[in-house]
Amino acid sequence: MKVGETYYRSIWEDTNAPVRQRGVHIIDQQQLPHRFATATLATLADAADAIASMRVRGAPLIGITAAYGMAFAACVDSSDTALSHAAQVLMATRPTAVNLAWAVQQVSRHLATLPPAFRGEAAWTYAARLADDDVAQNSAIGEHGLPLIAGRDRVVNILTHCNAGWLAAVDWGTALAPIYRAHDAGCRVHVWVDETRPRNQGLLTSWELAQHGVPHTVIVDNAGGQLMRDGHVDLCIVGADRVAANGDVANKIGTYLKALAAKDNGIPFFVAVPDGTFDAAMPDGRAIHIEERHGDEIRKMRGLTATGEVAEIDVLPADRAVANPAFDITPARLVTGFITPRGVVAPGAA
Amino acid sequence: MKVGETYYRSIWEDTNAPVRQRGVHIIDQQQLPHRFATATLATLADAADAIASMRVRGAPLIGITAAYGMAFAACVDSSDTALSHAAQVLMATRPTAVNLAWAVQQVSRHLATLPPAFRGEAAWTYAARLADDDVAQNSAIGEHGLPLIAGRDRVVNILTHCNAGWLAAVDWGTALAPIYRAHDAGCRVHVWVDETRPRNQGLLTSWELAQHGVPHTVIVDNAGGQLMRDGHVDLCIVGADRVAANGDVANKIGTYLKALAAKDNGIPFFVAVPDGTFDAAMPDGRAIHIEERHGDEIRKMRGLTATGEVAEIDVLPADRAVANPAFDITPARLVTGFITPRGVVAPGAA
């Protein structure tokens, strides 16, 4: 999608260098929405750190970043031992999104079939293929989601939680793909953007939508229920970090509360996901490991000072106990349908 | 309750001055939790401004502050016209909490029965009586709520939203009164404190509880649902700004979402309220006017800088659209019971 007038993906190769010496560029999402900055990753440690520190975030994007992390590793040491170590390092960065483990396993399995001498270059090719495939899948999600929005002769109000836009994927995004499609097709859409504490990924969603010219309004996470009661929400679309075999959804903390409100008000609640997010090995949501992140995400807040500098302030004393689960489980019974690259499917049928 | 070793109410008269020239002291809640500061109100404009700017907040406390505002006005000009004007000024400050209108009407009706010459002093006496009555009512709420918590041979986990503690009343608080009682009675309580965006009143609750030594953990507003799913919440207690005749509850935005999650997980959801919060004239929640507050409450965040100064940062660009409804309606069907000064009663029976 575009930033200003320039087309960007959220991750792209530095094609000025030969493949085995390449880095990948990312948009540093810790700086957004306050500052647009790119950064370069060139080593396994770079990739792991970018994922753990959330300079890249979003289930699809951390999968792709991990795939490139495997490529960095394979160009340094392509032995089975080294690649197995690299896979472990990457998979330890964040536990909840299945895409990460999925991408690492895809690369690992592919490389295992090749002699070590070919693995470095092959890993690059494979990572690039996963990135392109992510774009294609999300584009297809956009197409399949479009009919859920189109065809109404008025503004369609869509609520979304967290950021499941192109910043969270490689392009298009998952939850936002149908919204971009609808907007581009001339539908009048308006998006309610949940702030998404504690990391305020809603501000990334607002930034994305503003760059693309999609009308939207930022609200605190507390507000969506009342907006639904008041008839101001036509449908909800969110992304997911992992979908269990029975249709239970792990997604950003707070998703469950919005799904409850949607159900209580008869509003359709859709989850947009690429293939890699479905985890057939996980029978239901109870088995999904929910990441507990550092309490400073709640205690501190980042923003711009009056003089335009990015600064962090303490909103809560350091000695105060906090709990910070990063995801919650939305039971399948609250999900109207999954918007997938293969079409819209009911929970349990995906 | 205590701040350090000193007993405070949230509002108290300056007894060093003769009644008609008195001010009232308040705890400046805009400075909390970062700084404990008191301020003095001495005029109708002072009182109205303190309410509108939320230097005093919480349904019971804004009622008492408004009563003192009437006393300030009555000491300057005790004519019917002047008092009617004062009542209008005060009632225009914040629309949702019924306690404000209730307190202003109580004072107005009382003064109307007296000759103008007696009204100034009578208004002071009446405001003081309302303040003492609030303390007595909240103390009784604590007593009646205690059995809901006591008698379990383990830690009892209670989730609360916003601040309905002593800072929101004159003393004890509404939702926190049973918790303070239980803690003082030796029950092992632990409180999940919702951050309560956008104004972060949960940080006031955390500050209160820390002063009194009550174990608690601050969470973002998004987290409560998952905590309930995981069995970490035994009951919820919140306050209210207005309760309609059918039991529908207007309270801080986000309350409805927690009530839905409590219902979905079979967790009791109690609303603690003094008499003045029941509005028999309001048939149901649909008729309650929900205050829309300034968008800068979402766009800006206040906290401490690295050098210990209170500062405000921009978390969202000023040009971004925001919506900021301050309250929501929790339908009576989601309320287990009301904890009142007269006992615990079912919705609709209050």
Side-chain angles (χ1 to χ4, degrees):
Chain A
M1 306 299 284
K2 285 190 170 179
V3 179
E5 290 305 306
T6 309
Y7 171 81
Y8 276 92
R9 284 184 171 189
S10 64
I11 188 166
W12 67 101
E13 294 181 21
D14 175 13
T15 48
N16 291 325
V19 163
R20 295 178 57 98
Q21 294 148 42
R22 267 180 199 176
V24 294
H25 299 301
I26 58 165
I27 296 168
D28 184 350
Q29 301 195 27
Q30 278 207 344
Q31 303 292 319
L32 286 177
H34 311 298
R35 205 158 274 167
F36 179 77
T38 62
T40 306
L41 313 179
T43 66
L44 169 65
D46 285 352
D49 179 68
I51 297 168
S53 68
M54 295 180 65
R55 292 164 78 201
V56 294
R57 24 90 23 224
L61 177 57
I62 65 179
I64 303 303
T65 307
Y68 279 113
M70 290 296 290
F72 297 142
C75 289
V76 173
D77 180 347
S78 60
S79 67
D80 289 350
T81 315
L83 291 176
S84 165
H85 167 74
Q88 280 170 30
V89 166
L90 289 162
M91 289 201 281
T93 51
R94 300 202 60 198
T96 302
V98 69
N99 311 59
L100 196 160
W102 177 84
V104 168
Q105 283 157 6
Q106 295 277 106
V107 177
S108 297
R109 278 181 205 143
H110 178 63
L111 299 188
T113 65
L114 302 172
F118 297 155
R119 288 176 180 172
E121 201 142 332
W124 274 93
T125 309
Y126 201 86
R129 204 179 89 196
L130 287 181
D132 287 342
D133 189 50
D134 185 79
V135 177
Q137 286 204 37
N138 289 345
S139 173
I141 287 171
E143 273 176 49
H144 291 301
L146 175 60
L148 303 173
I149 302 170
R152 310 184 201 204
D153 191 24
R154 56 174 180 82
V155 173
V156 181
N157 288 293
I158 305 164
L159 184 139
T160 192
H161 189 68
C162 196
N163 172 261
W166 71 269
L167 286 171
V170 178
D171 202 357
W172 287 106
T174 52
L176 297 194
I179 293 169
Y180 286 127
R181 284 278 161 147
H183 177 78
D184 292 351
C187 304
R188 284 182 294 157
V189 293
H190 167 262
V191 186
W192 294 109
V193 177
D194 277 359
E195 179 180 46
T196 317
R197 287 281 290 148
R199 289 191 67 104
N200 304 346
Q201 289 96 334
L203 309 186
L204 301 179
T205 296
S206 169
W207 182 84
E208 268 195 29
L209 293 173
Q211 294 292 333
H212 201 76
V214 180
H216 66 281
T217 303
V218 177
I219 51 173
V220 294
D221 301 301
N222 285 321
Q226 186 61 27
L227 291 173
M228 293 187 209
R229 277 181 64 85
D230 287 342
H232 297 318
V233 180
D234 294 300
L235 73 160
C236 303
I237 312 180
V238 299
D241 292 79
R242 195 183 288 251
V243 178
N246 74 334
D248 287 355
V249 173
N251 192 43
K252 183 59 51 198
I253 191 81
T255 302
Y256 167 52
L257 295 170
K258 296 301 143 61
L260 283 169
K263 188 73 156 188
D264 199 45
N265 291 283
I267 295 167
F269 190 90
F270 290 101
V271 181
V273 274
D275 292 334
T277 306
F278 289 102
D279 184 2
M282 197 67 76
D284 60 43
R286 284 172 300 180
I288 298 176
H289 174 53
I290 292 183
E291 178 181 8
E292 176 79 22
R293 291 188 61 86
H294 198 286
D296 280 355
E297 292 188 350
I298 298 176
R299 293 193 194 94
K300 295 172 183 292
M301 192 90 156
R302 188 189 286 248
L304 287 180
T305 64
T307 53
E309 286 152 39
V310 176
E312 207 167 57
I313 55 172
D314 291 325
V315 293
L316 193 65
D319 66 349
R320 222 50 65 79
V322 300
N324 188 18
F327 302 93
D328 64 19
I329 306 297
T330 298
R333 66 185 147 84
L334 303 178
V335 176
T336 307
F338 292 96
I339 312 174
T340 81
R342 292 160 287 115
V344 179
V345 295
Chain B
M1 306 299 283
K2 285 191 170 177
V3 179
E5 290 306 306
T6 310
Y7 171 82
Y8 277 91
R9 284 183 171 189
S10 65
I11 189 166
W12 66 101
E13 294 181 21
D14 175 13
T15 49
N16 291 325
V19 162
R20 294 177 58 96
Q21 294 149 40
R22 268 181 196 175
V24 295
H25 300 300
I26 59 164
I27 296 169
D28 184 350
Q29 301 195 29
Q30 277 207 345
Q31 304 291 319
L32 286 176
H34 310 299
R35 207 157 273 166
F36 179 77
T38 62
T40 305
L41 313 179
T43 66
L44 169 64
D46 286 350
D49 179 67
I51 297 168
S53 68
M54 296 181 64
R55 291 164 79 200
V56 294
R57 23 88 26 220
L61 177 57
I62 64 180
I64 303 302
T65 306
Y68 280 113
M70 290 296 290
F72 297 142
C75 289
V76 172
D77 181 347
S78 60
S79 67
D80 289 349
T81 314
L83 291 176
S84 165
H85 168 74
Q88 281 169 29
V89 166
L90 289 163
M91 288 203 281
T93 52
R94 300 201 61 197
T96 302
V98 70
N99 310 59
L100 196 160
W102 176 85
V104 168
Q105 283 157 9
Q106 295 279 105
V107 178
S108 297
R109 278 183 204 140
H110 178 63
L111 299 188
T113 64
L114 302 173
F118 296 153
R119 289 176 179 172
E121 203 142 332
W124 274 92
T125 309
Y126 200 85
R129 204 179 90 197
L130 288 181
D132 287 341
D133 189 50
D134 185 80
V135 176
Q137 286 204 36
N138 288 344
S139 173
I141 286 172
E143 273 175 51
H144 291 300
L146 175 60
L148 302 173
I149 302 170
R152 310 186 201 203
D153 191 23
R154 57 173 179 82
V155 174
V156 180
N157 288 293
I158 304 164
L159 184 140
T160 192
H161 189 67
C162 196
N163 172 261
W166 71 267
L167 286 171
V170 178
D171 202 356
W172 287 106
T174 52
L176 298 193
I179 293 169
Y180 286 127
R181 284 280 160 146
H183 177 78
D184 291 351
C187 305
R188 285 181 293 157
V189 292
H190 167 262
V191 186
W192 294 109
V193 177
D194 277 0
E195 179 180 45
T196 317
R197 288 281 290 147
R199 289 191 66 104
N200 304 346
Q201 290 96 334
L203 309 187
L204 301 179
T205 296
S206 169
W207 181 84
E208 268 195 29
L209 293 173
Q211 294 291 332
H212 200 75
V214 180
H216 66 281
T217 302
V218 177
I219 51 174
V220 294
D221 301 301
N222 285 321
Q226 185 62 27
L227 291 173
M228 292 187 210
R229 277 181 64 85
D230 287 342
H232 298 318
V233 180
D234 293 301
L235 72 160
C236 303
I237 311 180
V238 300
D241 292 79
R242 194 183 289 250
V243 178
N246 74 335
D248 287 355
V249 173
N251 191 43
K252 181 60 50 198
I253 192 80
T255 302
Y256 167 53
L257 295 170
K258 294 303 143 60
L260 283 169
K263 187 73 155 188
D264 198 45
N265 291 283
I267 294 167
F269 190 90
F270 290 100
V271 181
V273 274
D275 292 336
T277 306
F278 289 101
D279 184 1
M282 197 67 75
D284 61 43
R286 284 172 301 180
I288 298 176
H289 174 53
I290 292 182
E291 178 182 7
E292 176 79 21
R293 291 188 61 86
H294 199 285
D296 280 354
E297 293 188 349
I298 298 176
R299 293 194 193 93
K300 294 172 185 291
M301 191 90 157
R302 188 189 287 250
L304 287 181
T305 64
T307 54
E309 286 152 39
V310 176
E312 207 166 58
I313 54 172
D314 292 324
V315 292
L316 193 65
D319 65 350
R320 223 51 65 79
V322 299
N324 188 18
F327 302 93
D328 64 19
I329 305 297
T330 298
R333 65 185 148 85
L334 302 178
V335 177
T336 307
F338 292 96
I339 312 174
T340 81
R342 293 160 286 114
V344 179
V345 295

